[in-house]
Amino acid sequence: MAAAASTNSFLVGNNTQIPSSKPKSTSQSLLHLTKPNTLNLAGKKTKPVSVRCVSSTPQVQDGAARSSTTGSQDRVFNFAAGPATLPENVLLKAQADLYNWRGSGMSVMEMSHRGKEFLSIIQKAESDLRQLLEIPSEYSVLFLQGGATTQFAALPLNLCKPNDTVDFVVTGSWGDKAVKEAKKYCKTSVVWSGKADKYTKVPPFDELEQSVDAKYLHICANETIHGVEFKEYPVVRNPDGFLVADMSSNFCSKPVDVSKFGVIYGGAQKNVGPSGVTIVIIRKDLIGDAQEITPVMLDYKIHDENSSLYNTPPCFGIYMCGLVFEDLLEQGGLREVERKNQMKADLLYNAIEESRGFFRCPVEKSVRSLMNVPFTLEKSELESEFIKEAAKEGMVQLKGHRSVGGMRASIYNAMPLAGVEKLVAFMKDFQAKHA
Amino acid sequence: MAAAASTNSFLVGNNTQIPSSKPKSTSQSLLHLTKPNTLNLAGKKTKPVSVRCVSSTPQVQDGAARSSTTGSQDRVFNFAAGPATLPENVLLKAQADLYNWRGSGMSVMEMSHRGKEFLSIIQKAESDLRQLLEIPSEYSVLFLQGGATTQFAALPLNLCKPNDTVDFVVTGSWGDKAVKEAKKYCKTSVVWSGKADKYTKVPPFDELEQSVDAKYLHICANETIHGVEFKEYPVVRNPDGFLVADMSSNFCSKPVDVSKFGVIYGGAQKNVGPSGVTIVIIRKDLIGDAQEITPVMLDYKIHDENSSLYNTPPCFGIYMCGLVFEDLLEQGGLREVERKNQMKADLLYNAIEESRGFFRCPVEKSVRSLMNVPFTLEKSELESEFIKEAAKEGMVQLKGHRSVGGMRASIYNAMPLAGVEKLVAFMKDFQAKHA
C-alpha cells in the first residue's frame, strides 16, 4: 500500500511558523502539511503538526468564521450530500501543486487544455478510472460539464427518436426529475414509482411491467435525497434495449459490472471530485445517432471523437478527479473501498436500530444506501437541536434535504471512519440526554 | 491600493526548507509564498523567497518535467489563449485557503452549494462583477457551465422561435461556430463575414445589411484565434432587436457599456478564472420564453429564478472568478486594467511594426485585439525555431492556432508587463540573429 508507506513524508518539524510582517492581516490561512489519520493509513498514528502561513488577503470575505487553532483538528467532519468531503491527502497534493504544477511553471488552472501537461493529466485520469471500474474497451469515458441534470436531456436526445419509449423505475426525486426532462424528447413510461411510499423502496424486479420495445430502462442507482440504493440491477426486457444508470452519488463507491449497462453517468461532486465535472461511461455502439435538435455540447459523438476536448473542458476539476482516482487505487481499489463504506454504513445503521426507536431510518433495510443515511428523531422537535449541537462538535451539514426533513448523513468514500464513529458516539450521548 | 500595501506580508524567512523523510518521493512541489512583482505593485521591488514543501505523491505523473530550482523564477510567461495565466496573488490566495477556507474546516471544493459559506462566495462574486462592469440592476448575472459553445445553442433556444431570424456579423471562427449552432433553432442571416479576408477586419457598421425583423444581432467581440476585436459596437436596425456579444476572450479587459447589449456572455478561462465557468449577463425582460425543446440546464429562467443554484454549480471555479474580480477592483477597476492592457498591446504591436516586415500581423490596425496578438515571420521556415527558443527562455504557448499557423501571443489581464517586455526583447534578439 503505497499510501500507507508514504505517510511519514508529510511529517515535518513542529509548528514551523512563518512570521508575517503584517500582524493585522485579515486572512490567516493554514497550510496543513500534515497527512492526517485516515482509513487508509496502516495503523501507525502520527502526531499532527502544521506550517502556519500568514497571507494578506484584504477583505476576502468579511465576517466569515475563523479558527484560532492550528493543525488538522481544524477540519470538520462534513456530512454534506455534495459537494462533499474530499480525501485530505488529495487536498494536500492539490494545495502543494496549485501554484506550480510539478515544475511546469503553471497552475493546472492555467494550462492550455491542448498542451502536453494537461493531456497527460486527463489521459491518466481516464486510464485510472478504467482500471478502477474495469471498464471494457468497447466503452467510452467522457468528461463533461453540466451535472446529471444536463444528462437527463442528453440521454434521450442521443439515444432516442421522439417516438421511442424509455422506461423508468423511479426510486426517488432524481429519478423523477430524469423522467420530466426526458418527456421533452421521447415517450416515457414510469414502470414503477416509490412515491406513494415516500421513496423508501426498490421494487422486486420481476414485478416490473417493462415496455416490450423500450429503448432503454433508466434507474437512479442511489437516490441522494432519499437514501435508497440498488443492490442488484434489473434485466432489460427488450433484447435490443439496455440499462442506463445515474450513479452520481455512488459512483466509484463499490465495484460495478459496467458491461451490464449501456450508459453509466454521474456528477463528480459526491465521491470523486469537485462539482463541475460530469462523467459519462457509454457503450460505443450507442454513440452517433443524436436527434437533429441536440445542442452540439450535448452530443456524445462530438465529445467521443474529440476525447472530451471539443471545447475547453473543466480542467482543474478533471485534475482533482484524477487525484481521487489515484487515491482509490492506492487504497486497494473499489473492493477495498466498498469494504470500508460497508463498515461505516453498518456502524451508523446499527446505531439507529439499537436506539429502540429514538432514531429512525425510513428506508427498507435491504436497500439502504451506503452513501446517504437519512434519519429522523422520534421526538422530531429535537431535530434542530441535534443538528446544532452536532455542528458545535465539528460535524456539519447533517440537516436533511428540505423536501424530506430530519437529518441526513452523507458518508461518501472520503468520510473517514473516525467521522462516523464520532457521529455515533454523539447520537448515543444525545439519546442519553434526551431519552 | 490595498494590494500594493499588503505586498510585504508575503515576504517570509529565507528558503525555509521543510525536510522530507522520503528523499525518493516522486513529487516535489513548491509552495511559493512570495508575492511576486506584478503590474499592480506600487514600484517597490521585493526579493523572492519560497518555502519548499516536499510531499509524497507516488507516481502522480511519470516523466513530467520537474524543476530543481526554487522561487518565482520558476513561473513561466504563459501566452496560452485559454485556459490562460492567472494573477499570481490570486493563485497564492487560493493555495493558502485550499485545504481550509478561512477557518471553515473545509476546502471550497467540499462546501455544500447551499451552505452559508458558499453562498457568501457566489454573492460576493456577483456583487464585485456588477461593480466592475457597472451592470445595471435590470440585468441578471448567471454563473453557468459548458462554455460559450453551450451558449451558441442556449441563445436562440431562449430568445427565438424557430421562424425568427438572427443576424450575425462574423469576424472569425467563433462567430462562425455560433451561426452553425443557431441554425438548429432559428433562421440565420450572416450580414457580413470576414472569411474571404481570412478574418482580419471588422466591417464599417453602416455597410451592414441587417434584417428588418432580426430578433437580435450577434457578434463575437474579440476573436481569440484571429485577433480581431470590436472597438465600437453596431446599432441594431430592428427597434425591438438587441445586440448579443460573445466576450469570452475580452471579458473584463476594459469597461463596457452593458446597457448597449441584450446579452453578454463568455467563458471564464481567459481573463477571469479557470475553465468550467460561463458567465451570462442578460437583460431580465429577455428571460422566460424559451422554446419547449430547451434542455432545462440551458433555460435562463431556471438559473435566474434559482440564482445560479438550480443544480450544483461549478463552485470552485466561481470562487476563483470571485478572487479575480476582487483583484481587478483592487487594481483600480476596468479603466485601469484597460490602460495596462493597452500598454502591453502597444509594446507588442509596435515591435512587430518596427521589425520592417520581419514580423507581420495580418489584422487591420484599427481592430487589432488587445488580448490575442497573432503574428507570422516573413521567413516562415523560422517559426518553429522561434517558438522553441522562446519556450527555452520560459515563454510558452506561443504557437498560433492550428487553423491559422504562425504565432499567437495571448496577453490577457493577468499577463504581466514584464512578460510582454521579455517577449519583445526576445523578438529583437531573434531578428538580429536571423535578419
Side-chain angles (χ1 to χ4, degrees):
Chain A
M1 296 243 299
S6 68
T7 307
N8 288 328
S9 57
F10 282 90
L11 297 175
V12 297
N14 263 317
N15 261 328
T16 307
Q17 286 229 3
I18 300 164
S20 164
S21 60
K22 292 268 293 178
K24 284 183 199 162
S25 165
T26 56
S27 169
Q28 301 198 336
S29 303
L30 302 168
L31 290 189
H32 294 258
L33 299 165
T34 311
K35 181 158 184 182
N37 291 313
T38 52
L39 272 175
N40 61 326
L41 301 186
K44 206 170 167 185
K45 291 239 170 187
T46 53
K47 192 177 161 203
V49 293
S50 70
V51 175
R52 181 168 172 165
C53 303
V54 182
S55 68
S56 171
T57 53
Q59 297 151 25
V60 172
Q61 291 289 335
D62 285 322
R66 205 156 290 126
S67 168
S68 59
T69 58
T70 61
S72 66
Q73 63 269 32
D74 277 355
R75 289 278 294 182
V76 293
F77 287 119
N78 174 10
F79 292 92
T85 191
L86 288 165
E88 295 201 29
N89 63 334
V90 163
L91 289 174
L92 292 165
K93 279 182 201 174
Q95 182 175 47
D97 280 350
L98 186 128
Y99 178 79
N100 186 343
W101 183 78
R102 310 188 76 233
S104 64
M106 290 180 274
S107 173
V108 171
M109 286 184 262
E110 302 176 297
M111 289 175 182
S112 167
H113 55 298
R114 306 200 187 280
K116 65 181 187 305
E117 295 89 354
F118 183 72
L119 290 181
S120 77
I121 287 171
I122 192 171
Q123 284 161 2
K124 182 149 194 313
E126 177 177 338
S127 153
D128 284 352
L129 178 59
R130 284 185 175 276
Q131 193 183 335
L132 271 174
L133 278 169
E134 297 176 18
I135 301 173
S137 60
E138 60 265 33
Y139 285 73
S140 286
V141 174
L142 309 176
F143 293 97
L144 307 177
Q145 298 184 60
T149 308
T150 301
Q151 297 308 312
F152 295 166
L155 288 162
L157 280 166
N158 279 272
L159 305 172
C160 298
K161 300 302 165 200
N163 283 325
D164 289 336
T165 298
V166 176
D167 282 349
F168 289 83
V169 175
V170 179
T171 54
S173 299
W174 290 104
D176 187 52
K177 284 196 175 189
V179 181
K180 284 180 177 136
E181 184 73 353
K183 279 184 196 300
K184 295 177 186 167
Y185 312 109
C186 65
K187 292 181 178 162
T188 59
S189 170
V190 175
V191 296
W192 189 89
S193 168
K195 192 168 186 183
D197 293 315
K198 295 186 177 174
Y199 296 129
T200 51
K201 294 176 184 168
V202 170
F205 299 147
D206 52 10
E207 279 181 16
L208 297 175
E209 294 189 16
Q210 296 186 46
S211 311
V212 186
D213 57 350
K215 200 77 186 179
Y216 59 89
L217 171 65
H218 183 278
I219 63 168
C220 177
N222 184 71
E223 284 283 353
T224 321
I225 293 174
H226 296 91
V228 175
E229 184 171 18
F230 281 76
K231 306 297 176 179
E232 290 170 23
Y233 304 104
V235 173
V236 178
R237 177 178 176 186
N238 177 6
D240 295 329
F242 49 91
L243 190 59
V244 173
D246 175 357
M247 291 198 184
S248 292
S249 52
N250 66 353
F251 190 69
C252 285
S253 68
K254 59 184 179 185
V256 165
D257 181 354
V258 174
S259 71
K260 284 187 175 167
F261 298 84
V263 186
I264 289 171
Y265 68 101
Q269 71 272 13
K270 319 286 188 182
N271 272 311
V272 299
S275 60
V277 180
T278 314
I279 297 171
V280 173
I281 301 169
I282 180 168
R283 225 174 61 205
K284 288 181 180 169
D285 64 296
L286 302 175
I287 298 173
D289 195 23
Q291 293 184 33
E292 279 180 20
I293 57 165
T294 307
V296 65
M297 284 295 290
L298 270 63
D299 188 341
Y300 296 140
K301 184 161 184 270
I302 285 288
H303 296 295
D304 182 46
E305 286 174 351
N306 290 279
S307 306
S308 303
L309 298 169
Y310 172 67
N311 76 336
T312 318
C315 299
F316 190 75
I318 293 169
Y319 158 72
M320 288 298 301
C321 290
L323 292 184
V324 172
F325 297 150
E326 281 178 2
D327 178 64
L328 296 177
L329 286 171
E330 284 166 13
Q331 287 186 45
L334 296 188
R335 216 164 293 277
E336 177 63 14
V337 168
E338 181 184 33
R339 191 188 63 76
K340 292 171 184 169
N341 286 332
Q342 187 73 55
M343 193 193 303
K344 289 183 286 173
D346 286 347
L347 193 62
L348 185 47
Y349 285 118
N350 287 342
I352 291 167
E353 292 308 305
E354 289 161 8
S355 74
R356 286 156 289 129
F358 187 83
F359 296 104
R360 295 169 174 195
C361 172
V363 182
E364 198 177 77
K365 282 187 186 177
S366 65
V367 293
R368 286 180 173 175
S369 168
L370 296 195
M371 301 282 101
N372 310 99
V373 181
F375 59 101
T376 56
L377 278 172
E378 188 182 15
K379 301 172 182 170
S380 61
E381 68 277 12
L382 292 176
E383 285 173 353
S384 63
E385 186 183 336
F386 180 93
I387 293 160
K388 221 167 100 183
E389 293 298 316
K392 278 188 197 160
E393 299 199 18
M395 292 172 286
V396 303
Q397 295 290 340
L398 279 165
K399 198 172 177 194
H401 189 270
R402 59 195 182 283
S403 67
V404 175
M407 281 77 67
R408 174 178 47 174
S410 294
I411 50 175
Y412 297 118
N413 289 352
M415 172 58 65
L417 178 61
V420 180
E421 286 171 342
K422 187 171 176 178
L423 176 60
V424 165
F426 174 79
M427 288 164 72
K428 290 185 176 159
D429 283 354
F430 191 86
Q431 181 170 3
K433 210 156 65 177
H434 295 284
Chain B
M1 294 247 299
S6 69
T7 308
N8 287 331
S9 57
F10 282 91
L11 295 174
V12 296
N14 263 318
N15 260 328
T16 306
Q17 286 228 5
I18 299 165
S20 164
S21 60
K22 293 269 293 180
K24 284 182 195 162
S25 164
T26 56
S27 169
Q28 302 196 340
S29 303
L30 303 168
L31 291 189
H32 293 260
L33 299 164
T34 310
K35 183 159 183 182
N37 291 314
T38 51
L39 271 176
N40 59 329
L41 302 186
K44 205 170 169 185
K45 289 239 172 186
T46 53
K47 192 179 162 200
V49 292
S50 70
V51 174
R52 180 167 173 165
C53 303
V54 180
S55 67
S56 171
T57 53
Q59 296 153 23
V60 172
Q61 291 290 335
D62 287 322
R66 205 157 289 128
S67 168
S68 59
T69 58
T70 60
S72 69
Q73 63 271 28
D74 275 355
R75 289 278 295 182
V76 294
F77 287 118
N78 174 10
F79 292 93
T85 192
L86 288 165
E88 295 201 29
N89 62 335
V90 163
L91 289 174
L92 292 166
K93 279 182 200 175
Q95 182 174 46
D97 280 350
L98 186 127
Y99 177 79
N100 186 345
W101 182 78
R102 311 187 75 235
S104 64
M106 292 179 274
S107 173
V108 171
M109 284 184 264
E110 302 176 297
M111 288 176 183
S112 167
H113 55 300
R114 306 200 187 280
K116 65 182 189 305
E117 295 88 355
F118 182 70
L119 290 182
S120 77
I121 287 171
I122 192 172
Q123 284 161 3
K124 182 150 195 313
E126 177 177 340
S127 153
D128 284 352
L129 177 59
R130 284 185 177 276
Q131 192 183 335
L132 270 175
L133 277 169
E134 298 176 18
I135 301 173
S137 60
E138 60 265 32
Y139 285 73
S140 286
V141 174
L142 309 176
F143 294 98
L144 308 177
Q145 297 185 57
T149 308
T150 300
Q151 297 309 312
F152 293 166
L155 288 162
L157 279 167
N158 279 272
L159 305 172
C160 297
K161 300 300 165 202
N163 283 325
D164 289 336
T165 298
V166 175
D167 281 350
F168 290 83
V169 175
V170 179
T171 54
S173 299
W174 290 105
D176 187 52
K177 284 195 175 191
V179 181
K180 284 181 178 135
E181 185 73 352
K183 277 184 196 299
K184 295 177 186 168
Y185 312 108
C186 66
K187 292 181 176 162
T188 59
S189 170
V190 175
V191 297
W192 189 89
S193 168
K195 193 168 185 183
D197 293 315
K198 295 187 177 173
Y199 295 129
T200 51
K201 293 177 183 167
V202 171
F205 299 146
D206 53 8
E207 279 183 16
L208 297 176
E209 294 190 16
Q210 296 185 48
S211 311
V212 186
D213 57 350
K215 199 78 185 175
Y216 61 89
L217 172 64
H218 183 279
I219 63 168
C220 177
N222 184 70
E223 285 282 354
T224 321
I225 293 173
H226 297 90
V228 175
E229 184 170 19
F230 281 76
K231 305 298 177 180
E232 290 170 24
Y233 304 105
V235 172
V236 178
R237 178 179 176 187
N238 176 6
D240 295 328
F242 49 91
L243 190 59
V244 173
D246 176 357
M247 291 197 184
S248 292
S249 52
N250 66 351
F251 190 70
C252 286
S253 68
K254 60 183 179 184
V256 166
D257 182 352
V258 174
S259 71
K260 283 187 176 168
F261 299 84
V263 186
I264 289 171
Y265 68 101
Q269 71 273 14
K270 319 288 188 183
N271 271 311
V272 298
S275 60
V277 181
T278 314
I279 296 171
V280 173
I281 301 169
I282 179 167
R283 224 173 63 205
K284 287 179 181 172
D285 64 294
L286 301 175
I287 298 174
D289 195 24
Q291 294 184 33
E292 281 181 17
I293 56 164
T294 309
V296 65
M297 285 294 291
L298 270 63
D299 188 340
Y300 296 141
K301 184 160 182 272
I302 285 288
H303 296 295
D304 182 44
E305 285 174 350
N306 291 278
S307 305
S308 303
L309 298 169
Y310 172 68
N311 75 337
T312 318
C315 299
F316 190 76
I318 292 170
Y319 158 73
M320 289 299 301
C321 291
L323 292 183
V324 172
F325 298 150
E326 282 178 1
D327 178 65
L328 297 177
L329 285 171
E330 283 165 14
Q331 287 186 45
L334 296 188
R335 217 163 293 278
E336 177 62 14
V337 168
E338 180 183 34
R339 191 188 63 75
K340 292 170 184 170
N341 285 332
Q342 187 72 56
M343 194 194 301
K344 289 183 288 176
D346 285 348
L347 194 61
L348 185 46
Y349 285 118
N350 286 342
I352 291 168
E353 292 309 305
E354 289 162 7
S355 74
R356 285 156 289 128
F358 187 82
F359 296 103
R360 294 170 175 195
C361 171
V363 182
E364 197 178 78
K365 282 187 186 176
S366 65
V367 293
R368 287 179 174 177
S369 168
L370 297 194
M371 301 282 103
N372 310 99
V373 182
F375 59 100
T376 55
L377 277 171
E378 187 181 17
K379 301 172 182 171
S380 61
E381 68 278 12
L382 292 176
E383 287 173 354
S384 63
E385 186 183 335
F386 180 93
I387 293 160
K388 219 167 102 182
E389 293 297 317
K392 278 189 197 160
E393 300 199 17
M395 291 172 286
V396 302
Q397 295 289 340
L398 278 164
K399 197 171 178 194
H401 189 271
R402 58 196 183 282
S403 66
V404 176
M407 279 77 67
R408 173 177 49 170
S410 293
I411 50 174
Y412 297 119
N413 289 351
M415 173 58 66
L417 178 60
V420 180
E421 286 172 342
K422 186 170 176 179
L423 175 60
V424 165
F426 173 80
M427 288 165 71
K428 288 183 177 160
D429 282 354
F430 191 88
Q431 179 170 5
K433 209 154 68 178
H434 295 284

